[in-house]
Amino acid sequence: MNLSKKKCKPCEGGIASLDKKEIAEYKKHIQDDWKVTENNKISKEYSFVNYKHTMEFVNKVANLAEEEGHHPVIHVYYGKVVIELWTHAIKGLSENDFILASKIDKL
Amino acid sequence: MNLSKKKCKPCEGGIASLDKKEIAEYKKHIQDDWKVTENNKISKEYSFVNYKHTMEFVNKVANLAEEEGHHPVIHVYYGKVVIELWTHAIKGLSENDFILASKIDKL
């Protein structure tokens, strides 16, 4: 399962969100520090030495999001960025979230 | 009180945060839709038709933040941005927050 070679697919609902077992399987293929949160999202925190580096990362993530047509929530602090991923249309996690996570890992 | 003509001043603590009366006075000088939140921050939500417009706004806010040396928290969604302002060093609101709010209003 090479997630970073896959592309996010349009998702307009009508499919089930991943269950716990599937999430656990997908999670093996992204970096360890992604957390599955209570409300069925995955999130990761990144630290930066200054705001310039913070915003460079934010823009890289935003460009990737547009390429993939899948947009995380990005919380931007002075030297910290928190990325949250889930699939709005199915109110849960889909393969798209793990594809995007694995590509963010490679930025 | 023309806040948008003022510059944020470095704040490393040692001053009191604004009290309720002062906050109410400053609030008159920024747009109505800024909200004072329970935990002594001001926040405002902006809507955009697409991610391109969202990210253009985020980058304008980030550039302004660097110019002023005062950095809001920015929550970035697909077509929505939430700005939160407070002064970390004094754990509350300072004039800087209202100066930045009034400049964001003019972006």
Side-chain angles (χ1 to χ4, degrees):
Chain A
M1 196 197 291
N2 194 332
L3 289 173
S4 65
K5 296 243 165 94
K6 291 190 172 189
K7 288 280 288 179
C8 289
K9 291 176 196 133
C11 176
E12 294 172 356
I15 57 162
S17 60
L18 299 175
D19 63 26
K20 277 195 177 168
K21 202 173 155 190
E22 292 166 321
I23 290 169
E25 187 53 41
Y26 274 106
K27 214 181 156 298
K28 291 179 193 164
H29 301 275
I30 58 175
Q31 286 182 8
D32 267 358
D33 43 7
W34 284 93
K35 285 177 191 155
V36 181
T37 63
E38 279 171 42
N39 33 4
N40 232 5
K41 300 174 181 180
I42 50 173
S43 79
K44 185 169 166 179
E45 189 176 310
Y46 298 80
S47 293
F48 302 95
V49 291
N50 60 32
Y51 201 60
K52 188 171 170 281
H53 285 87
T54 295
M55 285 307 303
E56 280 170 4
F57 178 71
V58 168
N59 279 293
K60 278 187 203 169
V61 173
N63 290 338
L64 178 61
E66 280 286 74
E67 277 170 36
E68 295 290 329
H70 193 52
H71 302 79
V73 176
I74 311 175
H75 304 281
V76 188
Y77 303 82
Y78 178 78
K80 185 176 86 174
V81 173
V82 179
I83 304 282
E84 279 186 313
L85 275 163
W86 77 99
T87 302
H88 190 77
I90 58 170
K91 296 189 175 70
L93 288 164
S94 72
E95 188 182 67
N96 285 349
D97 299 304
F98 290 91
I99 292 172
L100 198 57
S102 84
K103 293 189 178 189
I104 293 172
D105 280 343
K106 287 185 183 295
L107 285 178
Chain B
M1 196 197 291
N2 194 333
L3 290 172
S4 65
K5 296 243 165 95
K6 291 191 171 190
K7 287 282 289 178
C8 289
K9 292 176 194 135
C11 175
E12 293 172 354
I15 57 162
S17 60
L18 298 175
D19 63 28
K20 277 196 178 170
K21 203 174 154 188
E22 292 167 320
I23 290 170
E25 187 53 42
Y26 273 106
K27 216 181 155 298
K28 292 179 191 162
H29 300 273
I30 58 175
Q31 286 182 8
D32 266 359
D33 43 6
W34 283 94
K35 286 178 189 155
V36 181
T37 63
E38 279 173 40
N39 34 5
N40 230 6
K41 300 174 181 180
I42 49 173
S43 79
K44 184 168 167 180
E45 190 176 310
Y46 298 82
S47 293
F48 303 94
V49 290
N50 60 33
Y51 201 59
K52 189 172 169 281
H53 286 87
T54 295
M55 286 308 302
E56 280 170 3
F57 177 72
V58 168
N59 279 293
K60 279 187 202 168
V61 173
N63 290 338
L64 178 62
E66 281 286 76
E67 277 170 35
E68 295 290 328
H70 192 52
H71 301 80
V73 176
I74 311 175
H75 304 281
V76 188
Y77 302 82
Y78 177 79
K80 185 176 87 175
V81 173
V82 178
I83 304 282
E84 281 187 312
L85 276 163
W86 78 99
T87 302
H88 190 77
I90 57 170
K91 295 189 176 72
L93 288 164
S94 72
E95 187 181 66
N96 285 348
D97 299 303
F98 289 91
I99 292 172
L100 197 58
S102 83
K103 292 189 179 188
I104 293 172
D105 280 341
K106 288 185 183 292
L107 286 177

